[in-house]
Amino acid sequence: MVDTRPFLPVSSHAGSDPTGPSENRRKPMKLQLSIFFVLLTVGFFAALLTSNNGSDNGFVKENEHGSLASPSSEKQLRPVSRGPAVGVSEKSNRLFAKDNENQLAYPWNNSMLSWQRTAFHFQPEKNWMNDPNGPLFYKGWYHFFYQYNPHAAVWGDIVWGHAVSKDLIHWLHLPLAMVADQWYDKNGVWTGSATILPDGKVVMLYTGSTTENVQVQNLAYPADHSDPLLINWVKYSGNPVLVPPPGILDKDFRDPTTAWLTSEGKWRITIGSKINKTGVALVYDTKDFINYELLDGILHAVPGTGMWECVDFFPVSKTEENGLDTSVNGPSVKHVVKASLDDDRHDYYSIGTYHEKNGTWIPDEPKIDVGIGLRYDYGIYYAAKTFYDQNKNRRVLWGWIGESDSEAADMQKGWASVQSIPRTILFDKKTGTHLLQWPVEEIESLRLKSYEFNQVKVQAGSVVPLDVGPATQLDIIAEFEIDNEALEKTTGSNVTFSCSSSGGTVERGALGPFGLLVLADDSLSEQTPVYFYIAKGSDGKLKTFFCNDQSRSSVASDVNKQIYGNLVPVLEGEKLSLRVLVDHSIVESFAQGGRTVITSRVYPTKAIYGAAKLFLFNNATEASVSASLRIWQMNSAFIRPYPNDKESQ
């Protein structure tokens, strides 16, 4: 039944007219002046950085922290939009015709398409899925909400799907949580976040696209807080509670964050937006989640980064090996700002200092600011969302993994997109600049038979098969040691290396590439290399890159075959290490404990089922490497509809 007790004190704010007066429209002139001066300051620093970076002469230049020089420095494969009223994270994948030539869709058969469905990554039974929404742990259950089209395997008709789990691995599908049935969300129930109040109740803020395609923020809460499954949700009768403020366009105001408490006892949220081409995060305070005060300043802004979607803001500990509740602050805490850039569809983050008094955040290193520096993932990964898991005192990261095949193939197989394996996220105390991402420990419960290979010598220019049986579902942990004599003898070069533009594994260097060939057939006509490449500069310093080469991942013509990757810091005394989760068409790779992560979607036609094999390779010209590995075959997760009798509750 509906909870008759209000979750917070009743407010007199109606909030139903996006064009009329509203509490959240206060101080518009102060806002515009504040934003102007903030952007002026940020622009000044950005200009300095740009002048220092100089021209890249056609190469993707990467600084000492492994960041890209600009968000537009990668060659983009951008699909054509369906129309102006699109929502967050649309896919319209008609993209692989080159030089305006028409390419025919590959003749996929049902066996190939059936193999592509993952075994232990979360996905609905059918149709389209995108952004993760409002994850939380509540009364013994992990709840996961997600953007979902209940009608087709393409973006559109977006509502909220809902699933629950006891362990983040095995999932039970529940009825839709929220559908597009009100004027303020008729064109889409878009991304939002959950906040757990001190009394244990839950509030949900989400973006709705109105009948006039205006992006507004809405409030919802469980109909029955005693229900651990949170099956029924009530939309606040006074929605919307926030509308775009002056200076912000109607379609540039979305994705509210989880709220955190200030020292004054107010709740604070941030919402993504842009002003011209400057990405910004607006800040609001509230006492009741109904009335809001727009702060004079903004949390942060970075010129040239475009629209900031799915902004996330959370603390990380500089001293402890556990996650922190979103409201935690103090001298041993750093704060992370993450934004999903609509312009290039990547998730960027930066670590810095949060100033509660004026609601601003300053990056520790402006050269790797949000949108121009580090990414969560250098492959296909977007619209990520974290939550604090009070059950295990950890911060858990979810991310949407889109498809990189053709839309026609998606429609033929009847589904599109998966979610990443949930990852724990920690501050990297060794570098001080990076986060560490790692698959949640529960994934290890799926491990079956294991195989060990110790100190396998891989000579320059060779490939070594690893007999592990079918290589479709694997968890691989590997360490590599490169020949020290070759490291010392190799002369340096002033050639700039980049994973994406330096030719992949066929381009041989003195010290790389070397690593694993996953989802490969016996003849290696299809293969996906996950590898390291060590570049020695003319100054004698070494830089290590972690890459994933999809150029030969499939003989199909209508799939993405980019080469992904970036620099990964390797500190003195560290061996080169990686972990790879292979689950049919998704490959998640973690280097150096999760400092650099790459997720790929690959669609082989031959290296499937029992024909999928695993190899070590070393395509360096001078250095041999030795590898030690432990590899597990992985079981499938149990993902099904929730039983009507609720026996497993």
Side-chain angles (χ1 to χ4, degrees):
M1 67 178 188
V2 175
D3 191 343
T4 57
R5 297 167 298 168
F7 55 93
L8 285 171
V10 175
S11 169
S12 60
H13 169 57
S16 59
D17 183 3
T19 62
S22 170
E23 185 73 15
N24 64 70
R25 286 183 176 271
R26 66 176 61 187
K27 297 183 287 191
M29 187 58 67
K30 284 187 177 181
L31 169 68
Q32 291 176 330
L33 288 174
S34 298
I35 291 177
F36 173 78
F37 287 115
V38 170
L39 298 186
L40 188 64
T41 303
V42 173
F44 173 73
F45 285 111
L48 288 177
L49 294 177
T50 303
S51 63
N52 289 336
N53 287 339
S55 171
D56 65 3
N57 296 318
F59 288 92
V60 179
K61 280 198 172 181
E62 295 167 283
N63 64 33
E64 60 183 337
H65 301 285
S67 61
L68 298 177
S70 74
S72 61
S73 58
E74 288 185 343
K75 183 180 180 181
Q76 299 301 317
L77 293 174
R78 295 300 307 278
V80 176
S81 172
R82 286 192 178 82
V86 300
V88 180
S89 307
E90 177 198 24
K91 173 191 175 183
S92 179
N93 195 353
R94 306 173 175 90
L95 57 133
F96 297 107
K98 297 180 180 178
D99 302 323
N100 296 318
E101 296 176 1
N102 293 320
Q103 288 191 359
L104 297 177
Y106 186 80
W108 298 99
N109 60 45
N110 288 337
S111 179
M112 296 174 185
L113 295 177
S114 295
W115 177 88
Q116 292 175 13
R117 190 168 179 90
T118 61
F120 52 86
H121 285 73
F122 177 83
Q123 60 185 126
E125 295 180 283
K126 61 181 180 178
N127 297 328
W128 166 273
M129 172 182 64
N130 54 284
D131 304 8
N133 297 151
L136 74 157
F137 181 79
Y138 187 77
K139 293 186 182 298
W141 289 95
Y142 290 101
H143 289 258
F144 182 69
F145 305 88
Y146 53 94
Q147 302 278 275
Y148 181 60
N149 181 355
H151 303 124
V154 297
W155 184 91
D157 301 329
I158 294 298
V159 299
W160 274 30
H162 185 193
V164 292
S165 172
K166 289 288 188 178
D167 61 4
L168 291 171
I169 302 300
H170 305 283
W171 291 91
L172 299 171
H173 294 296
L174 294 178
L176 298 177
M178 285 188 283
V179 297
D181 59 358
Q182 302 295 323
W183 71 265
Y184 52 77
D185 60 14
K186 194 67 174 177
N187 279 316
V189 181
W190 289 354
T191 298
S193 301
T195 300
I196 300 178
L197 304 179
D199 63 1
K201 293 185 177 181
V202 178
V203 294
M204 194 79 75
L205 290 172
Y206 72 93
T207 298
S209 181
T210 74
T211 53
E212 301 299 322
N213 294 312
V214 179
Q215 293 172 10
V216 299
Q217 313 313 316
N218 303 306
L219 173 64
Y221 48 91
D224 181 3
H225 278 95
S226 67
D227 175 16
L229 299 181
L230 301 177
I231 290 178
N232 296 312
W233 288 80
V234 175
K235 297 176 183 178
Y236 173 56
S237 61
N239 279 336
V241 294
L242 279 170
V243 300
I248 299 299
L249 299 180
D250 289 347
K251 297 178 183 178
D252 296 337
F253 184 64
R254 55 184 179 263
D255 311 336
T257 63
T258 297
W260 66 96
L261 274 170
T262 68
S263 58
E264 296 179 345
K266 296 179 180 179
W267 291 97
R268 183 167 288 177
I269 63 168
T270 184
I271 296 173
S273 187
K274 71 174 180 178
I275 299 175
N276 296 321
K277 288 295 291 181
T278 296
V280 301
L282 307 173
V283 184
Y284 290 86
D285 280 357
T286 181
K287 292 182 178 180
D288 57 8
F289 288 87
I290 296 172
N291 298 289
Y292 292 81
E293 175 187 358
L294 178 60
L295 271 61
D296 288 339
I298 54 178
L299 183 71
H300 195 52
V302 181
T305 55
M307 178 66 198
W308 282 15
E309 302 185 316
C310 304
V311 174
D312 204 4
F313 177 77
F314 57 89
V316 289
S317 174
K318 295 191 295 182
T319 58
E320 304 296 327
E321 296 294 328
N322 56 268
L324 299 175
D325 180 88
T326 311
S327 298
V328 170
N329 200 358
S332 62
V333 171
K334 285 289 184 182
H335 279 81
V336 176
V337 171
K338 167 255 152 182
S340 302
L341 299 195
D342 192 31
D343 284 359
D344 72 3
R345 295 300 169 96
H346 297 310
D347 278 13
Y348 294 82
Y349 76 88
S350 188
I351 300 168
T353 301
Y354 167 57
H355 299 280
E356 184 197 276
K357 186 174 181 180
N358 60 3
T360 61
W361 173 92
I362 298 174
D364 287 346
E365 299 200 24
K367 288 184 178 181
I368 49 174
D369 204 347
V370 181
I372 60 173
L374 304 176
R375 282 165 46 184
Y376 273 162
D377 194 297
Y378 290 87
I380 301 178
Y381 192 89
Y382 194 64
K385 171 67 184 171
T386 68
F387 77 101
Y388 175 65
D389 174 15
Q390 71 273 27
N391 182 43
K392 291 196 172 184
N393 297 318
R394 59 186 175 180
R395 182 157 290 272
V396 177
L397 173 69
W398 281 96
W400 168 47
I401 312 300
E403 303 292 332
S404 60
D405 61 349
S406 67
E407 189 173 79
D410 293 347
M411 296 175 69
Q412 186 177 348
K413 66 192 179 190
W415 58 270
S417 305
V418 302
Q419 296 291 330
S420 67
I421 292 299
R423 305 170 183 175
T424 57
I425 195 163
L426 292 170
F427 177 67
D428 184 2
K429 291 181 285 188
K430 292 182 179 179
T431 63
T433 54
H434 286 61
L435 296 173
L436 298 175
Q437 303 170 63
W438 201 247
V440 293
E441 61 185 2
E442 290 91 338
I443 192 66
E444 297 171 17
S445 68
L446 297 179
R447 288 173 172 174
L448 299 172
K449 185 177 180 180
S450 67
Y451 304 81
E452 288 196 44
F453 302 88
N454 294 311
Q455 295 295 313
V456 179
K457 196 79 167 181
V458 189
Q459 299 293 340
S462 66
V463 176
V464 177
L466 297 173
D467 186 9
V468 297
T472 288
Q473 296 173 208
L474 298 176
D475 186 356
I476 306 166
I477 293 179
E479 286 187 344
F480 294 88
E481 294 181 80
I482 193 165
D483 178 30
N484 281 327
E485 185 177 347
L487 283 176
E488 295 173 1
K489 287 172 55 179
T490 300
T491 56
S493 169
N494 61 1
V495 176
T496 301
F497 179 84
S498 164
C499 292
S500 60
S501 62
S502 294
T505 52
V506 297
E507 294 296 326
R508 305 180 67 184
L511 305 175
F514 58 87
L516 296 167
L517 303 178
V518 303
L519 297 177
D521 65 338
D522 277 328
S523 68
L524 301 182
S525 63
E526 291 184 330
Q527 55 176 281
T528 300
V530 179
Y531 61 98
F532 292 103
Y533 187 101
I534 300 175
K536 193 171 189 178
S538 54
D539 58 1
K541 293 182 179 179
L542 300 176
K543 289 186 177 181
T544 302
F545 295 82
F546 183 54
C547 313
N548 191 324
D549 183 356
Q550 297 180 135
S551 60
R552 289 170 291 165
S553 61
S554 175
V555 300
S557 58
D558 58 352
V559 302
N560 189 318
K561 297 180 183 179
Q562 287 180 275
I563 302 169
Y564 297 134
N566 201 40
L567 186 148
V568 56
V570 179
L571 307 185
E572 187 175 355
E574 291 183 341
K575 294 181 179 179
L576 296 176
S577 65
L578 61 81
R579 183 177 182 182
V580 182
L581 294 174
V582 179
D583 185 7
H584 295 257
S585 60
I586 183 170
V587 180
E588 291 188 80
S589 306
F590 305 79
Q592 301 309 108
R595 281 187 197 132
T596 300
V597 184
I598 306 171
T599 299
S600 291
R601 297 299 307 279
V602 293
Y603 308 91
T605 64
K606 303 175 183 177
I608 58 178
Y609 300 107
K613 306 296 182 183
L614 178 68
F615 298 85
L616 284 168
F617 83 97
N618 177 12
N619 210 27
T621 58
E622 297 181 19
S624 63
V625 298
S626 61
S628 296
L629 308 94
R630 191 167 185 190
I631 303 165
W632 290 266
Q633 290 282 347
M634 295 290 279
N635 205 349
S636 299
F638 194 44
I639 303 175
R640 62 180 177 86
Y642 193 87
N644 291 330
D645 58 11
K646 300 186 179 182
E647 288 179 355
S648 59
Q649 182 170 336

